[in-house]
Amino acid sequence: MNMNTAERDLRLEMLNSLLTTPHRVLEKVAEIHKLIIELDPIFYGHLAVWYQRHGDVRDHKEVFAGNLLTSALTEHRDAGFMMLQEFPPYEVSRIVDFMKRHQNKVPRSARTAVTRYLKSREKNAQFFDRAAIRNRKAMKHLYATLHVKPSDRANAILFKDNPPEDSLAFVLKQLAKAATPAEQASLIVEYKIPYTIAVGAIKQLTPTVLAALINSMSPQEVINNLKSIQSRGAMETPGSQAVD
């Protein structure tokens, strides 16, 4: 009875931690994870899968994945393998760094999971391009730190800074070089360049370019980026109120 009570209290402590741990303090997050995985590994595995689907704190998701990938249990490693494929590159990079710092290892199965992650993105050029633009530093880190050989296309985009003409990185180079706002707007419309990517490539957002960006966005994208759009004077541009 006492053991059941202790186990229940430990699980409640873990769940409470998921709600209260400060963001981006992985050391504090790791402490409670280490305790529960040692005392109740089966529960920990189930909780990790549940939290991946229903949890909100990225730090916990990353620690769950890192612990599962370095676990002695095959079931944990298999679950961690599948979970890793769902993270954006910058979080996969953080998971790898967590394994190195806190577990002092990146097991072969974890390296295989990251390699699968990278290769699956290489197979889809559009998917890879957007990942490489949004998470360039993280993508380079994953290839380099685990010594994963990139494809020729990935190598050209990430490491040689010589992207092929059919890549988003190449289009962004042309966007940055465009001499006039009209040319920039034309490229944005033709290639459907996302707002968050385009603003990083253009030094000065003119009303013409802003109009092209806003017109190419979905209503949800406008809502998500509204503060950024307003800060760049879009709502002061004649006719821009049409996005309201």
Side-chain angles (χ1 to χ4, degrees):
M1 180 68 177
N2 290 336
M3 178 61 73
N4 289 338
T5 301
E7 288 179 354
R8 185 163 59 250
D9 290 344
L10 186 60
R11 292 174 182 182
L12 286 173
E13 182 181 349
M14 176 67 173
L15 292 173
N16 286 335
S17 169
L18 298 181
L19 301 175
T20 60
T21 301
H23 184 53
R24 290 289 181 255
V25 187
L26 285 186
E27 288 73 18
K28 292 186 177 180
V29 175
E31 290 175 6
I32 188 66
H33 280 258
K34 184 175 185 294
L35 178 63
I36 195 74
I37 197 172
E38 289 177 352
L39 295 180
D40 198 340
I42 301 303
F43 169 71
Y44 185 86
H46 288 306
L47 182 60
V49 174
W50 177 86
Y51 199 80
Q52 181 77 355
R53 297 286 176 266
H54 304 288
D56 296 319
V57 180
R58 290 197 300 265
D59 293 357
H60 281 293
K61 292 184 178 183
E62 292 166 9
V63 174
F64 271 128
N67 282 336
L68 292 183
L69 286 165
T70 54
S71 173
L73 297 179
T74 301
E75 294 82 0
H76 279 183
R77 296 195 301 273
D78 288 346
F81 188 105
M82 299 305 297
M83 288 166 60
L84 188 81
Q85 311 307 315
E86 301 175 357
F87 287 97
Y90 78 92
E91 286 194 81
V92 176
S93 179
R94 283 170 53 83
I95 291 168
V96 170
D97 289 345
F98 170 81
M99 287 188 284
K100 286 188 171 185
R101 285 198 306 268
H102 293 272
Q103 307 292 8
N104 297 316
K105 61 181 178 179
V106 180
R108 181 181 299 177
S109 58
R111 292 174 183 270
T112 300
V114 175
T115 300
R116 173 77 63 84
Y117 179 92
L118 293 171
K119 295 305 177 183
S120 68
R121 278 151 182 75
E122 288 180 356
K123 290 178 181 177
N124 184 325
Q126 186 176 23
F127 189 26
F128 178 86
D129 282 5
R130 291 178 185 267
I133 293 296
R134 294 178 186 274
N135 298 271
R136 181 181 181 83
K137 184 177 179 180
M139 294 285 281
K140 290 180 68 175
H141 179 61
L142 289 173
Y143 281 105
T145 195
L146 296 181
H147 306 290
V148 178
K149 184 179 180 180
S151 67
D152 291 342
R153 192 172 189 280
N155 192 34
I157 292 173
L158 290 175
F159 296 98
K160 293 186 176 181
D161 197 25
N162 185 29
E165 293 186 6
D166 66 340
S167 69
L168 180 57
F170 182 86
V171 174
L172 289 181
K173 276 180 171 279
Q174 306 312 303
L175 183 63
K177 294 177 182 178
T180 67
E183 290 179 25
Q184 292 175 330
S186 178
L187 286 168
I188 289 168
V189 172
E190 181 179 356
Y191 294 98
K192 299 179 181 178
I193 302 175
Y195 174 83
T196 53
I197 292 177
V199 294
I202 300 174
K203 294 181 180 179
Q204 181 178 3
L205 289 179
T206 64
T208 299
V209 173
L210 269 173
L213 285 169
I214 293 171
N215 287 335
S216 66
M217 295 164 72
S218 68
Q220 187 58 52
E221 287 174 326
V222 173
I223 293 172
N224 293 343
N225 295 286
L226 189 57
K227 287 186 178 180
S228 176
I229 294 170
Q230 289 175 326
S231 71
R232 289 172 167 82
M235 298 312 169
E236 300 169 7
T237 303
S240 63
Q241 288 78 8
V243 303
D244 289 347

